Structures are given as C-alpha cells and as structure tokens.
Amino acid sequence: MSSWAQTLSRLDAFSKVDSTHQARTSSGGFLSVVVLLVMAFMVTSELRDFLQYQQTHEFAVDADVQQELQVNFAMTVAMPCPLMRVDVLDASGNRQNLDDGITMQAVSRRRAFTKLSGSHSAGLNGVADMHVHDIFAEAGRLRRVPGVREKGLAKPSSLASIGDLDDAACRIEGSVMVNKVAGLFHITAHGHAYGGAYVPSRMMNFTHHIDELSFGPLYPSLDNPLDNTLHVSDDHVSAFRYFISIVPTTYIDASARHLSTNQYAVNEYYKPHSDLSDLGGKPPGIFLEYSFESVAVTVREHRGSIVAFAVRLCAAISGLFVTVGIAHSLFACFANAVSGRRARVSQGILDSKHATTVHMPATVVER
C-alpha cells in the first residue's frame, strides 16, 4: 500500500469490523425487517410531500387604482320579465338602469325550476378548496355556462311564447361595468322603489336561482359562493338581501403565470312579508350589496427544493438507523444482564463465592 493510501487509512472515520467478529442474531434480523418497512413508508411520505404543491398567502394593501369593475351575473327569477327592472346604485350616487344592457329572456317557470331542483340552497366557495394549478386549469376551460354572455342589446321577450302568466319566469344574464365603490345591485318590481306601472303583490314571486355571480374577468368554470344556488320565497312579498365583501385576489402558479380575479364572502338575509305595510319603506326584491376590502391577497404556488427533499430524506433514514441501533444495543445489554444473573444463581455451591480451596499434602517419593 502506498504512503498516501496509508495516510488516508489512518484518517478513516468509518472503521470496519472484521466479519469474523460480527455476530448475527434473530432479533437483529427482525429489527432489520422492521427498519426496511419503516424506511419504505418514510421515503414514500417524503416523496408524496415533495410532489405536492405548496401554497403561501400574502396580504397587502390594495394599490389598484382601477376605476371600474366588471360584474357577471346570470339568474332565473320566478316572475315575468315585463314586471321587473334591474338597477345598480353605488355610493357615489350614480344609478344605472340595466334593462337595455342585459338579456332578459322569458322562460317557463315549471321547466326552468324543475331542471334546477338539484341545486343547493347555500353556496360554499369552491375556489378556496382548489389548488392554484387547478384554478388555472378551470379558468382556461372553454365550457359554456348557460346564461353568461357579454353585454347585449336583447329586449325582454314577449309572454306570448309562454302562454300561461302563472308559468312565466325570467332569465336575466349579462356582464356590466360598475364603479369600483360600494354599491347595490338589485332586482325589483315595477312601481316599487322606482316609477312605472304598479305590480300587484299577488303577481310577485322573488324565488330565484343564481347560476353565476362573479366580479372581474369572467371565468365560467370557477365556482363562486353564490353560483348554482336556489333561494325560495315563502311569500309573494319578500326581500332577499346579500351582503358581499369583495377581496381582490391574484393567483401565481409554479410557472409564474398570473391570474387576477376577485374572491368574495357573502351573508344572506331573507325576510318574508305578509303585505306591503310590513316592508318598513323598503321595497320587495333581490338586493346584492357589495363592498370592497382594502386588503389584496396573493396566493403563490410552489414546490419544495430538491436539495431540501434530499436533506430531509437522509436525515430521516440516518436517524432511523441510529435510533434502532441504540434501542437494539440497550435491549442486548439488558438481555445479557438478565441471562448473567440467572447463570450465577444456577451455579449453586460451585459459585465462586462459595468455592473452597483444598490443599493436598505433598508426597515425597524417595528413589
């Protein structure tokens, strides 16, 4: 062996034990099998955690100076279209009548609400339960959601196609631009709160199904809290009020793509009325009061570092070996101590403590 090899061998911190001095036991074999099983489980768990996406949430003051915001909506109301009007009133005092800027289509109430009978009555934000890459995938889908279209010039349809006034319903849909201030989007009957021909209370029914309600760019495949929700009125004269808090949200996936949208939380309030005198000056209808939070949320998606994954994996495996080795050594020491005590007890009078030395006289043999 060369001198430099001898020098390196003296620096060897991993000295080897000669195979002739190694002892293999059944307990060691059993622990080896256990270690392999636990190691396989730990490697699988670490690999699964590494392959999963991680999300971080960042909160900052909303610095967007955007003046307008797009509102997308589609709903079916159990009233004839000519009896209703749609308006937006914001905190700046601006009022928009949307009857000429959206689509109001007469549909059969019986057929429309029979198809919608499977809808839930209270929405949960499905976006909150999705990963960022799933949100990007859903936002990019071209699935057509009935009732959501860009701004159009369609006029209310004639009731002649329905035939029965009691079976008439109205599908209201569109996308409109509103000022980015707190506002009230509302659907009311003519002659209540605004001018126009007075609609008797017996002809009103504000039972409605919301297919889509979102703020910002339209992504039809993304579910929002009020999407696909059915709200049933127990009285002809009733008021549905929704208090909506809008939070600007930006999603950034692992590929650094950006998706800007708006999440919102909603509280629903419903009060039936037996007659108009119980309204307290407030008209019956569907009212969506929205406001904007001053905090913007950024959701970032990323995967863990391959270096961190390797370090965690090595630390887990080495720690497992060291822990099991120490446990096995302690168990062997304990077993040896117990077996040694039993051996000394079984020796009886031959025990070294009770052994007697017998001195025999020397015999001299003369020749």
mmCIF file of all heavy atoms in Angstrom, residues 79 83-85 187-195 197-200 204 206 283-285:
data_model
loop_
_atom_site.group_PDB
_atom_site.id
_atom_site.type_symbol
_atom_site.label_atom_id
_atom_site.label_comp_id
_atom_site.label_asym_id
_atom_site.label_seq_id
_atom_site.Cartn_x
_atom_site.Cartn_y
_atom_site.Cartn_z
ATOM 1 N N MET A 79 -90.693 35.298 -12.009
ATOM 2 C CA MET A 79 -91.618 36.378 -12.345
ATOM 3 C C MET A 79 -91.491 36.677 -13.835
ATOM 4 O O MET A 79 -90.413 36.477 -14.421
ATOM 5 C CB MET A 79 -91.307 37.652 -11.548
ATOM 6 C CG MET A 79 -91.749 37.621 -10.096
ATOM 7 S SD MET A 79 -91.325 39.164 -9.235
ATOM 8 C CE MET A 79 -92.225 40.386 -10.223
ATOM 9 N N LEU A 83 -92.448 42.580 -15.687
ATOM 10 C CA LEU A 83 -92.821 43.075 -14.352
ATOM 11 C C LEU A 83 -91.612 43.495 -13.532
ATOM 12 O O LEU A 83 -91.778 44.012 -12.420
ATOM 13 C CB LEU A 83 -93.598 41.995 -13.584
ATOM 14 C CG LEU A 83 -94.845 41.422 -14.262
ATOM 15 C CD1 LEU A 83 -95.555 40.442 -13.338
ATOM 16 C CD2 LEU A 83 -95.793 42.550 -14.684
ATOM 17 N N MET A 84 -90.401 43.291 -14.041
ATOM 18 C CA MET A 84 -89.197 43.541 -13.239
ATOM 19 C C MET A 84 -88.302 44.568 -13.904
ATOM 20 O O MET A 84 -88.365 44.808 -15.102
ATOM 21 C CB MET A 84 -88.417 42.232 -13.041
ATOM 22 C CG MET A 84 -89.117 41.186 -12.213
ATOM 23 S SD MET A 84 -88.057 39.746 -11.961
ATOM 24 C CE MET A 84 -87.836 39.187 -13.646
ATOM 25 N N ARG A 85 -87.416 45.136 -13.092
ATOM 26 C CA ARG A 85 -86.372 46.014 -13.569
ATOM 27 C C ARG A 85 -85.097 45.718 -12.793
ATOM 28 O O ARG A 85 -85.128 45.285 -11.643
ATOM 29 C CB ARG A 85 -86.757 47.492 -13.443
ATOM 30 C CG ARG A 85 -87.055 47.939 -12.040
ATOM 31 C CD ARG A 85 -87.390 49.421 -12.016
ATOM 32 N NE ARG A 85 -86.227 50.235 -12.377
ATOM 33 C CZ ARG A 85 -86.327 51.474 -12.875
ATOM 34 N NH1 ARG A 85 -87.526 52.011 -13.105
ATOM 35 N NH2 ARG A 85 -85.242 52.167 -13.159
ATOM 36 N N ILE A 187 -82.850 43.831 -8.067
ATOM 37 C CA ILE A 187 -83.951 43.494 -8.974
ATOM 38 C C ILE A 187 -85.239 43.725 -8.227
ATOM 39 O O ILE A 187 -85.480 43.128 -7.162
ATOM 40 C CB ILE A 187 -83.853 42.029 -9.437
ATOM 41 C CG1 ILE A 187 -82.514 41.774 -10.157
ATOM 42 C CG2 ILE A 187 -85.019 41.678 -10.359
ATOM 43 C CD1 ILE A 187 -82.286 40.313 -10.516
ATOM 44 N N THR A 188 -86.082 44.600 -8.745
ATOM 45 C CA THR A 188 -87.341 44.949 -8.092
ATOM 46 C C THR A 188 -88.487 44.896 -9.097
ATOM 47 O O THR A 188 -88.270 44.793 -10.306
ATOM 48 C CB THR A 188 -87.266 46.360 -7.479
ATOM 49 O OG1 THR A 188 -86.919 47.304 -8.512
ATOM 50 C CG2 THR A 188 -86.220 46.415 -6.371
ATOM 51 N N ALA A 189 -89.693 44.971 -8.580
ATOM 52 C CA ALA A 189 -90.885 45.006 -9.427
ATOM 53 C C ALA A 189 -91.209 46.451 -9.785
ATOM 54 O O ALA A 189 -90.928 47.381 -9.016
ATOM 55 C CB ALA A 189 -92.058 44.352 -8.707
ATOM 56 N N HIS A 190 -91.781 46.631 -10.954
ATOM 57 C CA HIS A 190 -92.160 47.977 -11.394
ATOM 58 C C HIS A 190 -93.171 48.574 -10.418
ATOM 59 O O HIS A 190 -94.055 47.891 -9.891
ATOM 60 C CB HIS A 190 -92.770 47.934 -12.793
ATOM 61 C CG HIS A 190 -91.748 47.747 -13.874
ATOM 62 N ND1 HIS A 190 -90.816 48.703 -14.219
ATOM 63 C CD2 HIS A 190 -91.514 46.690 -14.709
ATOM 64 C CE1 HIS A 190 -90.063 48.259 -15.209
ATOM 65 N NE2 HIS A 190 -90.463 47.036 -15.522
ATOM 66 N N GLY A 191 -92.988 49.873 -10.162
ATOM 67 C CA GLY A 191 -93.894 50.565 -9.249
ATOM 68 C C GLY A 191 -93.473 50.486 -7.800
ATOM 69 O O GLY A 191 -94.123 51.095 -6.940
ATOM 70 N N HIS A 192 -92.403 49.770 -7.504
ATOM 71 C CA HIS A 192 -91.883 49.649 -6.141
ATOM 72 C C HIS A 192 -90.456 50.192 -6.144
ATOM 73 O O HIS A 192 -89.582 49.656 -6.837
ATOM 74 C CB HIS A 192 -91.902 48.193 -5.671
ATOM 75 C CG HIS A 192 -93.257 47.579 -5.675
ATOM 76 N ND1 HIS A 192 -94.118 47.614 -4.594
ATOM 77 C CD2 HIS A 192 -93.926 46.913 -6.659
ATOM 78 C CE1 HIS A 192 -95.240 46.992 -4.882
ATOM 79 N NE2 HIS A 192 -95.153 46.556 -6.159
ATOM 80 N N ALA A 193 -90.219 51.259 -5.399
ATOM 81 C CA ALA A 193 -88.924 51.946 -5.296
ATOM 82 C C ALA A 193 -88.654 52.835 -6.500
ATOM 83 O O ALA A 193 -87.989 53.853 -6.369
ATOM 84 C CB ALA A 193 -87.775 50.965 -5.118
ATOM 85 N N TYR A 194 -89.147 52.469 -7.676
ATOM 86 C CA TYR A 194 -88.993 53.297 -8.862
ATOM 87 C C TYR A 194 -90.364 53.448 -9.519
ATOM 88 O O TYR A 194 -91.334 52.756 -9.176
ATOM 89 C CB TYR A 194 -88.005 52.666 -9.852
ATOM 90 C CG TYR A 194 -86.593 52.532 -9.300
ATOM 91 C CD1 TYR A 194 -86.143 51.299 -8.832
ATOM 92 C CD2 TYR A 194 -85.737 53.622 -9.261
ATOM 93 C CE1 TYR A 194 -84.851 51.161 -8.332
ATOM 94 C CE2 TYR A 194 -84.449 53.499 -8.757
ATOM 95 C CZ TYR A 194 -84.016 52.276 -8.294
ATOM 96 O OH TYR A 194 -82.751 52.155 -7.795
ATOM 97 N N GLY A 195 -90.423 54.345 -10.509
ATOM 98 C CA GLY A 195 -91.675 54.577 -11.195
ATOM 99 C C GLY A 195 -92.028 53.436 -12.131
ATOM 100 O O GLY A 195 -91.291 52.468 -12.278
ATOM 101 N N ALA A 197 -95.527 51.161 -14.114
ATOM 102 C CA ALA A 197 -96.824 50.565 -13.798
ATOM 103 C C ALA A 197 -96.704 49.751 -12.511
ATOM 104 O O ALA A 197 -95.754 48.985 -12.327
ATOM 105 C CB ALA A 197 -97.292 49.695 -14.959
ATOM 106 N N TYR A 198 -97.670 49.920 -11.639
ATOM 107 C CA TYR A 198 -97.642 49.258 -10.338
ATOM 108 C C TYR A 198 -97.944 47.762 -10.509
ATOM 109 O O TYR A 198 -98.916 47.377 -11.170
ATOM 110 C CB TYR A 198 -98.669 49.898 -9.415
ATOM 111 C CG TYR A 198 -98.668 49.335 -8.022
ATOM 112 C CD1 TYR A 198 -97.729 49.744 -7.089
ATOM 113 C CD2 TYR A 198 -99.609 48.373 -7.651
ATOM 114 C CE1 TYR A 198 -97.735 49.233 -5.806
ATOM 115 C CE2 TYR A 198 -99.618 47.850 -6.366
ATOM 116 C CZ TYR A 198 -98.671 48.284 -5.458
ATOM 117 O OH TYR A 198 -98.675 47.766 -4.186
ATOM 118 N N VAL A 199 -97.088 46.918 -9.907
ATOM 119 C CA VAL A 199 -97.271 45.469 -9.967
ATOM 120 C C VAL A 199 -97.934 45.016 -8.666
ATOM 121 O O VAL A 199 -97.380 45.228 -7.577
ATOM 122 C CB VAL A 199 -95.917 44.749 -10.154
ATOM 123 C CG1 VAL A 199 -96.117 43.237 -10.135
ATOM 124 C CG2 VAL A 199 -95.263 45.192 -11.454
ATOM 125 N N PRO A 200 -99.112 44.403 -8.739
ATOM 126 C CA PRO A 200 -99.773 43.930 -7.513
ATOM 127 C C PRO A 200 -98.930 42.885 -6.799
ATOM 128 O O PRO A 200 -98.152 42.145 -7.411
ATOM 129 C CB PRO A 200 -101.088 43.331 -8.028
ATOM 130 C CG PRO A 200 -101.291 43.912 -9.383
ATOM 131 C CD PRO A 200 -99.927 44.150 -9.936
ATOM 132 N N MET A 204 -96.151 38.981 -7.635
ATOM 133 C CA MET A 204 -94.718 38.976 -7.353
ATOM 134 C C MET A 204 -94.289 37.632 -6.770
ATOM 135 O O MET A 204 -95.000 37.039 -5.967
ATOM 136 C CB MET A 204 -94.354 40.110 -6.394
ATOM 137 C CG MET A 204 -94.485 41.498 -7.018
ATOM 138 S SD MET A 204 -93.810 42.817 -5.975
ATOM 139 C CE MET A 204 -94.935 42.772 -4.584
ATOM 140 N N PHE A 206 -90.263 36.327 -5.836
ATOM 141 C CA PHE A 206 -88.833 36.539 -5.999
ATOM 142 C C PHE A 206 -88.011 35.284 -5.703
ATOM 143 O O PHE A 206 -86.833 35.376 -5.382
ATOM 144 C CB PHE A 206 -88.365 37.694 -5.108
ATOM 145 C CG PHE A 206 -88.788 39.037 -5.637
ATOM 146 C CD1 PHE A 206 -89.851 39.723 -5.074
ATOM 147 C CD2 PHE A 206 -88.137 39.594 -6.725
ATOM 148 C CE1 PHE A 206 -90.249 40.948 -5.562
ATOM 149 C CE2 PHE A 206 -88.528 40.820 -7.233
ATOM 150 C CZ PHE A 206 -89.591 41.506 -6.655
ATOM 151 N N PRO A 283 -88.576 48.270 -0.462
ATOM 152 C CA PRO A 283 -89.346 47.514 -1.454
ATOM 153 C C PRO A 283 -88.983 46.034 -1.419
ATOM 154 O O PRO A 283 -87.899 45.652 -0.983
ATOM 155 C CB PRO A 283 -88.920 48.160 -2.776
ATOM 156 C CG PRO A 283 -87.532 48.630 -2.515
ATOM 157 C CD PRO A 283 -87.510 49.073 -1.070
ATOM 158 N N PRO A 284 -89.881 45.185 -1.913
ATOM 159 C CA PRO A 284 -89.526 43.762 -2.072
ATOM 160 C C PRO A 284 -88.606 43.594 -3.267
ATOM 161 O O PRO A 284 -88.593 44.406 -4.193
ATOM 162 C CB PRO A 284 -90.883 43.094 -2.314
ATOM 163 C CG PRO A 284 -91.727 44.172 -2.920
ATOM 164 C CD PRO A 284 -91.274 45.466 -2.298
ATOM 165 N N GLY A 285 -87.825 42.541 -3.247
ATOM 166 C CA GLY A 285 -86.933 42.298 -4.366
ATOM 167 C C GLY A 285 -85.708 41.498 -3.964
ATOM 168 O O GLY A 285 -85.654 40.884 -2.888
#
